[in-house]
Amino acid sequence: MSQRLGGKVALITGGGAGIGAATAALFCEQGAAVLLVDRDAAALERTAAAIRQRTPAARVQLLAADVADEASAGQAVQQCRQAFGRLDVLVNNAALRNYAALADATAAEWQAVLGVNLLGNASYCRAALPLLREAGRGAVVNVSSCYAVKGRKGMALYDASKAAILALTRTLAFEEAAHGIRVNAVCPGSTLTDFHVERTVAAGRSVEELKTQRQDTSLLGRWADPAEIAFPILWLASDEASFITGTTLVVDGGLHIK
């Protein structure tokens, strides 16, 4: 494949596993240097090792930090500047889940979810903007969720935060167009990530059984592989999407029209 991100530098939050790790691997394969942020330092090291095995010349920097910590955003951007001299792409992927019913959710639970999923996203956008403006053709890709546009029960906090990301995406697209920055969102559907595998194992259930689930949560009747979400993120981050901004791209196997 051609180097679709050749010479570019990307900052990816939630890069320790799942969609973030798959996106980082694909970006490096496509010529980008990456800085990965995740609160799990061991997961970051595993991801970096896997990337270097797949792409030996990959340039990878790591920062173990909680995205909810506003100071970490500035630290991450400064590390990009010091290591790579620039920043072209920001992928806001880190997220915190909560399974409380809306009637039971506490203020503390709301604050924890919003601290990562919305305020963390906003902090990284704000910190990255000066370098993205310098790049002249910067791109932000915010990872939301298909449930930002389709309702369900049991995850109101998560889904509300992901819906707010779509509003933030549109507003930032308006505000940064004059600086050459494109801002878009991807809404993944059910994706078979490490999170789901670990949760299944912890519950004493079979991973093979897990893989047969989600047959009714999309028209395609299966889980997405994380790489199937990483490719749309790559496209929106690349110059191939140079006339696309303020857009929500739903990547859910058709769930939103069921």
Side-chain angles (χ1 to χ4, degrees):
M1 291 187 291
S2 63
Q3 297 282 287
R4 296 162 72 183
L5 293 181
K8 294 186 182 291
V9 174
L11 193 168
I12 303 171
T13 69
I19 292 170
T23 300
L26 183 58
F27 276 27
C28 288
E29 186 179 82
Q30 293 298 316
V34 300
L35 176 101
L36 307 182
V37 181
D38 199 291
R39 65 182 181 181
D40 187 336
L44 282 174
E45 293 291 348
R46 289 192 297 270
T47 295
I51 289 173
R52 290 177 180 128
Q53 183 174 22
R54 175 173 167 176
T55 307
R59 295 179 294 160
V60 184
Q61 287 279 314
L62 308 176
L63 175 62
D66 186 343
V67 170
D69 176 15
E70 184 179 2
S72 74
Q75 184 179 354
V77 171
Q78 182 61 22
Q79 188 170 334
C80 277
R81 183 189 289 276
Q82 291 175 345
F84 305 125
R86 60 185 295 132
L87 179 62
D88 301 276
V89 178
L90 170 65
V91 178
N92 283 308
N93 170 69
L96 179 67
R97 290 173 174 266
N98 182 290
Y99 295 90
L102 189 57
D104 302 324
T106 66
E109 287 177 305
W110 273 105
Q111 289 164 1
V113 171
L114 293 176
V116 174
N117 298 5
L118 181 59
L119 298 179
N121 188 304
S123 293
Y124 273 76
C125 286
R126 183 174 63 251
L129 286 177
L131 280 187
L132 293 175
R133 289 171 178 174
E134 285 181 21
R137 293 172 67 88
V140 177
V141 183
N142 294 321
V143 180
S144 178
S145 167
C146 64
Y147 290 104
V149 297
K150 182 177 177 67
R152 61 175 166 175
K153 65 179 181 179
M155 289 192 70
L157 284 67
Y158 179 86
D159 295 352
S161 70
K162 291 296 188 176
I165 286 173
L166 301 185
L168 182 150
T169 296
R170 292 188 291 268
T171 298
L172 195 61
F174 266 107
E175 294 178 349
E176 293 302 316
H179 299 286
I181 299 173
R182 298 180 298 103
V183 189
N184 294 290
V186 168
C187 290
S190 298
T191 306
L192 190 55
T193 63
D194 308 80
F195 172 85
H196 293 291
V197 171
E198 291 168 5
R199 193 162 177 259
T200 295
V201 171
R205 298 198 302 271
S206 164
V207 175
E208 291 306 312
E209 179 186 354
L210 171 68
K211 291 179 180 179
T212 67
Q213 296 175 0
R214 296 300 197 270
Q215 294 179 355
D216 61 347
T217 58
S218 74
L219 296 182
L220 300 182
R222 61 174 177 81
W223 293 90
D225 184 274
E228 292 179 292
I229 312 301
F231 272 102
I233 294 172
L234 167 68
W235 180 63
L236 287 173
S238 76
D239 290 339
E240 294 171 11
S242 58
F243 200 59
I244 299 176
T245 194
T247 290
T248 297
L249 178 58
V250 182
V251 189
D252 68 350
L255 172 63
H256 65 288
I257 64 169
K258 281 196 73 174

